Every structure is written in structure tokens, then in C-alpha cells.
Amino acid sequence: MSDPLVPPLARGSLDRAAHRRTDGQWLRRAWQRARVLVVAPVDDGQALVRDAGDPELVLLPAARVPAGAEERRLFLGVESDGTPVFAVEGALPSVPGARAAGLREVGHLLPERDAGLLTTAVALVNWHARHRFSPLTGRPTVATEAGWCRVDDTGHRMWPRTDPAMIVMVQDGLPGERGRCLLGNNVAWPQQPGLRRYSCLAGYVEPGESAEAAVAREVAEETGVPVTDVRYVGSQSWPFPSSLMLGYFAGADPAAPVRVDPTEIADARWFSRREIGDVLAGRRVPLEDGRDLMLPPPLSIAHFLIRRWLAD
């Protein structure tokens, strides 16, 4: 179960042992005694979990992973007891008492080690799937350095990258139930009958821009509301396929007019702490259009920021 003071996908306890990634002899020996996480080739990163109590990942001995998996192995790191851990992309095998589950579904419920393993594995699998060819030469690439690099036949190498994105909890700074926050409904989100989801405002950091500048720009572009006192809170990976979410708090005046950019935001409005607390407690909060307020899922850093603000 995730720590309420840490974003759910910012957890992990594995020693990544990066110095081993280029040690072919060590990797070959390590594979023979490794624990292996099999990840299905989908953006959500399905893996096998057991649900006896809290969900936990199923890791297999190397001899039990799908045929040919050794050629696609991704070295994740070393456990505290010295056991190497790898991930491989492939069809999930049948394991009694286990089921397939995606990172979105169980990431926030997994223990610290497992959350870190699955997040890293999904990020790597998605990166490899999107970099079969070199963006510089156009030539086909192959994996090297235990899955942490790809190289083409000219020797051009590339390494996994993450795209920085900011997400911000805009609030009025008032304590208690009088406090309010500004949330938006994105036009791209799928509709759910009877519900309308509102979340923190977010966007990608542009070239030549700081994350703090991106916070002010995105909020202004999406809602027309100026912000002050931008404060960093925490970050987490969002490997769908390759983002790093940088979480912030920022202040704003609820009296400022809200003017949404209709190409991105269908609606934005201020919500009270009482309304947010009611939704998180499982109570209905009706909106003006007859639907009920829905908040972002527990795996997201938006959910984490909302809970942090609620607790202030």
C-alpha cells in the first residue's frame, strides 16, 4: 500500500546496480539465479499478481519465463539479499493463484519494492517499443546494456528518456473547509455516465522553459487564472508511455475570472475542501449539469496532490 506522503509511483527499494549493465559475464551468471517479472506488451504494463491480502507481483525463476525471453531481458537491479531481478516482455504464463493486472489498476496497492519494479519495467518496455529505429539515422536498433540502451549498425546509441510534465494543485491558501481549489475537466477524457471527472491542471514543460514557468503558463493558458507562490511538492514516473510528472502547489485568487481554453479544457471551477472530502469519503457531490463529481484515480499524482491539500 502506498505511503500517503509519497506519490504512489515514486516508490521503490531495489538497488539498480547500474554498473552491472555492461558486464556481460556477470549478467549471464545473474540470469541463472534471477527473479524475473514478465510484462505483457501493452502500454498499461500488465503483469501477474497474487491477491491474497494486498496485491503482490509474481516473479518467476528464469527457467519458467516464455521461450526466447533471455534475448529480451531487461536488468532492473539487485535485491537486498543479492538476488538479481530482470523483466522480460512477453505473453504472461499461467500461474496458479495469479491473475493479470495492469499498473494503473494495482500500482498504488503494491508494496514499495513491487511498485518500483513494475513502474520501471513498464517504462522500459514502452520505450523499447517506440524506439525500434534511430531518430538520427533511421536505421534499425537493437537493445544493449541489459536493456538500458539501443544502438544501430552505425554505432549511434540512445538511452531511455522521460518527458517532463508539470501538474499543479491551484488553491486559495485558506485553511479548513473555507479553502478552495481549482480543478479542470479535460476535453480529451472519456465520458462516464452520470459522472464528470475534475483534476489538477497539467501540461508538458516546453523547450527552454523551467517547470515553474510551465506551471504559470499552463494555468494561464487553460483557465486564464494567474498563479503565485509556486511550490514543488514531489514527482513520480508516469510510464504511459514516458512522462515524469512534477507536482506543485500554487496560489490563486478565486475572484479571478476563469476563462477556459475550449480546445483543452471543457470546464474549470473552484471546489471547496468539504466537496473534495465528501468525494474521497465515497459521498455524492452533484454538479450543476446533474452529474456527480469524480476525482482522478489513486495511482495518479493528481490524486496525491489533492489528498495533500485536503490534509493541510
Side-chain angles (χ1 to χ4, degrees), residues 5 7 231-235 246-249 301 304-305 308:
L5 298 179
R231 176 168 63 89
Y232 176 74
V233 179
S235 66
L246 306 170
Y248 289 85
F249 282 174
I301 194 171
F304 167 79
L305 292 172
R308 281 285 297 266

Side-chain angles (χ1 to χ4, degrees), residues 192-223:
Q192 298 191 37
L195 298 171
R196 194 174 196 186
R197 175 155 57 106
Y198 284 78
S199 184
C200 300
L201 301 170
Y204 285 104
V205 180
E206 293 185 344
E209 184 179 47
S210 71
E212 290 77 11
V215 169
R217 174 183 56 78
E218 285 285 349
V219 176
E221 288 177 355
E222 294 183 352
T223 69

Side-chain angles (χ1 to χ4, degrees), residues 34 40 65 86 90 94 144 201 236 241:
V65 301
F86 289 80
S94 177
T144 185
L201 301 170
Q236 74 170 22

